[in-house]
Each structure stands twice: as structure tokens, then as C-alpha cells.
Amino acid sequence: MAPKESPLIIRDKNQMRKWSRTMRSQGNIIALVPTMGYLHQGHLSLINEAHKHANLVAVSIYVNPGQFSPNEDLSTYPSDFQGDIQKLLSVPGGVDVVFNPINLYDYGEIDSGGEGVVVVEGDQVVSCIEKSGLGHETWVRVEKLEKGLCGMSRPVFFRGVATIVTKLFNIVEPDVAVFGKKDYQQWRVIQRMVRDLDFSIKVIGSEITRENDGLAMSSRNVHLSPEEREKALSINKSLSRAKSAAKDGQVQCEKLKNLVIQCITEAGGIIDYAEIVDQHSLEKKEFIKGPVVFCVAAWFGKVRLIDNMEINL
């Protein structure tokens, strides 16, 4: 297939909305792939998936400050916009438009500059948006699904994700949106949000893309030292062992969790969580009696990695 022309780059949200409405009025189906940039093969696989469901593909590149708390890695999150565009040119079928807004929380209003604080169950939870005093105070919450797993150590994260995805959906107005299953909880949160708020958007979950050695692709992998990266392979290896053990009849979740925790800890990782949960409700399970997903988050050095593996007995 001949390489596609460079995508149209749009930074203004009104222009983005106008483009989408014009394209849809001509009978086109639009797929959106939301990203925070620093694209890798995992992102490109989402675009390949998007082409299966639409004839026009939009990719958003926006590092969302609303999902970072002040002590997280917003300031060091990697970016390479020109490199991203070059990678998009390599995708079969290409990308039609890249939405790269400067700030989706700047409304052109005079703000008092005060720090906003959102109180959640008695605890103050402050995001980078609130610390910056930009006046944004409307948040989307998916109350049950956001609480466990990553929500335990990142209380700001999922309301930030749900809010920015809602904004992107309202601006781009896609027919289809594609998310990676590596961020399993995020995918399920967005699915539930779309269902509950009656968005007319089909949410697709795309399988995890891994390096040749099994490490799940992530923009944060660049921060791993060679030694840390080698140790991080323990995540996928231990998940694979747990899945094999489950297929061989070990359905007691505590024993499977201990297997994974021990493997990662012995490799030098620090466990954030290791949980076996229902694939849809994300509720913890004691025994595997139906489709579950084994979700893990672990620190290697200063890098927090997440991975998961579905188990369908």
C-alpha cells in the first residue's frame, strides 16, 4: 500500500469539531485513537485496529495534566511530536488527522489563580490542573470501576482520564474509539462511561502489544535502565506462569497471586498491586469461576509499570 500523505494537524478544538462534522456529513465513519504521544508500536497497533472499523482515523496527541497528581511524572513524561508524525506515516492506511491541542483546560477566562481542591471521601485529592489554577472544576467519575487497582495509589487518575476522554469525544465526535487493553481498567472505565452517559460511540479494546522479550510496550519503558528492564520481564513471565497454573487446575486466586508477587519481588520489583478480578466488574475474586483478568502494577527503580493477562477457563 502506498504511503499516505502527512496527516492534517489541528490544534484548535473548534476547527477539529468542524472537520469531523464535515467528514461525517459526507458519510464517513471516524475512528479516534486517543494518545499522550511518544508513540510506539503499541499505539500504531491501535491505529491498525481503528482502520478495521472506520474509513477515517483521527489520532489525538495530548499529555493530559488532569490525570496527574503534583507528585507524579507529568514534567518528565516523554514527548517527540515530530517523531510521532513520522511514525504515523509508516502505518498502512495512514492517519487522516492529528488533533494536538495546546491546552484543553484553558478557556480564555480570567482566573483567580487559587488552588482548587476536590474532596473525595474525606481526603483531599489535587491534580496538576487544580494546582495550576486554570479554573476547571467539572469532572467525570465512574465511581465503582475507578476505585480498585490503579485507583488505589492514583486517586486522581481515572476522573482525569474520564474527563479528558469525554472532552475529546465531544470535540472529535467519533463513531468509534480504540483503547489498548494494557490499560485494562482504563478501557473498562471508558466503556462504562460511554454506556452510562449514552455516547453514540463504539469502544474497542485492542490486545496488548509486547516487545520481542514479552515486556508490554509503554512510553515509560524509556526511563528503565538496561538492568531494570531485564528485571521487569518478571511481570509477563510470572503472569504467564499463573495463567498456565490456572489452566492446569489451580483456581485459588491467593495462590496464583503469591506466585506472581514472589517472582516479581525476587527480581527486584516493588509490588503496587497484584489482583485477579472479574473482566467486567473488576471485582476481586477468591476463585476463578469465569472470565477474569490478572492485573499487576510494580515499580522498577523510579518507573511504575502495569500489565495484565486475561484468563478464560
Side-chain angles (χ1 to χ4, degrees):
M1 183 180 292
K4 200 159 188 174
E5 295 179 359
S6 296
L8 176 65
I9 297 173
I10 297 177
R11 303 191 192 278
D12 178 75
K13 58 187 177 183
N14 292 319
Q15 185 183 350
M16 181 69 247
R17 186 180 288 115
K18 181 179 180 181
W19 179 90
S20 292
R21 291 182 176 180
T22 299
M23 294 300 107
R24 292 184 72 189
S25 71
Q26 296 172 2
N28 292 293
I29 297 174
I30 299 172
L32 171 65
V33 179
T35 82
M36 295 210 299
Y38 210 73
L39 304 181
H40 51 67
Q41 193 59 43
H43 295 109
L44 304 187
S45 73
L46 302 183
I47 298 168
N48 289 330
E49 181 66 30
H51 278 294
K52 300 176 184 177
H53 305 275
N55 61 313
L56 294 178
V57 174
V59 172
S60 63
I61 296 178
Y62 181 67
V63 179
N64 172 34
Q67 68 195 56
F68 291 83
S69 65
N71 64 339
E72 291 180 331
D73 59 351
L74 173 62
S75 63
T76 61
Y77 197 86
S79 65
D80 179 14
F81 184 74
Q82 292 306 318
D84 289 343
I85 297 301
Q86 291 304 309
K87 290 173 184 175
L88 293 177
L89 291 174
S90 71
V91 179
V95 168
D96 296 278
V97 64
V98 172
F99 181 44
N100 178 227
I102 295 173
N103 187 345
L104 286 179
Y105 298 91
D106 183 358
Y107 306 105
E109 300 169 352
I110 298 175
D111 186 74
S112 64
E115 294 182 1
V117 177
V118 173
V119 179
V120 183
E121 296 183 350
D123 296 321
Q124 289 186 340
V125 180
V126 185
S127 74
C128 290
I129 283 294
E130 291 155 327
K131 289 293 262 186
S132 65
L134 291 171
H136 183 92
E137 57 179 314
T138 304
W139 301 96
V140 179
R141 306 297 297 261
V142 183
E143 293 184 344
K144 287 186 178 180
L145 289 185
E146 73 173 36
K147 284 186 177 178
L149 304 175
C150 285
M152 293 185 295
S153 60
R154 303 190 70 192
V156 166
F157 182 72
F158 287 111
R159 63 158 207 179
V161 167
T163 301
I164 197 63
V165 171
T166 295
K167 290 167 75 69
L168 289 171
F169 283 176
N170 284 332
I171 294 167
V172 180
E173 298 181 343
D175 302 281
V176 178
V178 182
F179 293 83
K181 283 189 178 183
K182 183 178 77 72
D183 300 283
Y184 202 92
Q185 187 176 14
Q186 173 180 278
W187 169 50
R188 290 305 193 190
V189 163
I190 298 303
Q191 276 191 325
R192 186 66 56 85
M193 180 190 80
V194 164
R195 185 201 73 176
D196 291 354
L197 297 184
D198 294 308
F199 280 99
S200 183
I201 298 171
K202 183 178 182 180
V203 177
I204 306 293
S206 188
E207 298 300 327
I208 297 173
T209 303
R210 299 185 180 277
E211 304 283 359
N212 292 333
D213 56 14
L215 186 67
M217 289 189 177
S218 169
S219 299
R220 289 185 169 91
N221 290 350
V222 69
H223 294 306
L224 292 168
S225 70
E227 182 182 5
E228 290 166 347
R229 195 188 182 291
E230 184 66 26
K231 292 178 177 179
L233 299 180
S234 60
I235 301 177
N236 181 50
K237 289 177 181 177
S238 61
L239 285 173
S240 297
R241 289 174 191 166
K243 184 173 184 176
S244 295
K247 289 185 174 180
D248 289 340
Q250 178 54 268
V251 295
Q252 189 172 343
C253 294
E254 194 66 28
K255 291 185 177 181
L256 295 174
K257 288 163 56 177
N258 288 339
L259 183 158
V260 167
I261 291 170
Q262 180 180 354
C263 181
I264 293 174
T265 303
E266 288 179 350
I270 298 174
I271 295 288
D272 183 353
Y273 65 78
E275 297 290 352
I276 297 174
V277 299
D278 180 88
Q279 288 184 13
H280 294 279
S281 69
L282 303 185
E283 293 177 352
K284 296 179 185 179
K285 294 296 179 182
E286 291 185 15
F287 297 91
I288 300 177
K289 298 180 180 179
V292 297
V293 57
F294 199 149
C295 297
V296 171
W299 290 88
F300 287 88
K302 296 182 178 180
V303 183
R304 182 179 179 274
L305 300 177
I306 62 172
D307 202 344
N308 67 77
M309 194 163 288
E310 291 179 327
I311 302 174
N312 299 294
L313 298 186

